[in-house]
Amino acid sequence: MPFIRVSYREDQYKQEELPAISHAIHQALTEYFRVPADDYFQVFHGHKPAEFYYDQAYLNVSRTDRLLYIQITLKSGRTEEQKRGFYARLAELLPACGVRAEDIFVVLVGTGFEDWTFGDGIAQMLERKREVQPDA
């Protein structure tokens, strides 16, 4: 149930590059967080240079204008090992899409089941959780 927002400088990426980046992110999510293949919700935001800021060397990482901000909102509970594996997998997959590993900036935002609706005004994940739990 992750929701992904990817921000980038619009003058640094062509529209044709974005689908491969999207698929690489989803592949890493399915491998490390066991996200179902059809749980696929992503939004890409291109920004003008005057709207996009970053430090070029914070924590000794050399960033360029091709920096991607990848914010992933997902259910809390992933282990540190899963997160580290996920980050490493992105750093393996995204260079094939023309993204340097140094230009991959990821933020995971954890939520609860009650924080989601996928439409129809229903908290589907709460309903699914109730169906899985045995009666008390």
Side-chain angles (χ1 to χ4, degrees):
M1 59 189 239
F3 177 66
I4 293 86
R5 290 184 177 275
V6 179
S7 296
Y8 60 95
R9 272 185 49 164
E10 65 185 9
D11 63 342
Q12 295 297 309
Y13 287 92
K14 297 177 185 162
Q15 295 298 306
E16 305 84 51
E17 293 176 282
L18 303 182
I21 293 168
S22 171
H23 292 297
I25 294 168
H26 193 65
Q27 179 179 340
L29 286 167
T30 60
E31 290 176 13
Y32 279 87
F33 296 157
R34 298 188 313 192
V35 170
D38 62 344
D39 191 348
Y40 187 57
F41 300 94
Q42 299 183 10
V43 179
F44 281 69
H45 303 273
H47 296 273
K48 294 177 181 12
E51 302 171 339
F52 197 84
Y53 298 93
Y54 63 94
D55 187 283
Q56 293 179 335
Y58 182 67
L59 297 177
N60 296 314
V61 178
S62 178
R63 294 171 194 84
T64 71
D65 286 344
R66 283 184 59 88
L67 176 68
L68 291 180
Y69 287 124
I70 304 171
Q71 179 180 345
I72 302 172
T73 305
L74 71 169
K75 172 71 175 75
S76 297
R78 274 40 182 233
T79 66
E80 184 178 307
E81 183 179 334
Q82 285 176 301
K83 292 175 184 180
R84 287 178 184 266
F86 173 73
Y87 302 145
R89 186 65 172 138
L90 280 179
E92 292 172 0
L93 293 171
L94 287 175
C97 304
V99 182
R100 297 169 56 245
E102 297 89 346
D103 287 330
I104 303 167
F105 185 108
V106 179
V107 177
L108 300 178
V109 180
T111 64
F113 285 131
E114 67 277 8
D115 298 317
W116 296 82
T117 178
F118 290 86
D120 292 332
I122 300 168
Q124 289 89 347
M125 299 312 289
L126 282 178
E127 299 300 320
R128 179 182 278 179
K129 182 180 171 185
R130 286 190 191 121
E131 292 171 6
V132 174
Q133 290 182 349
D135 293 330

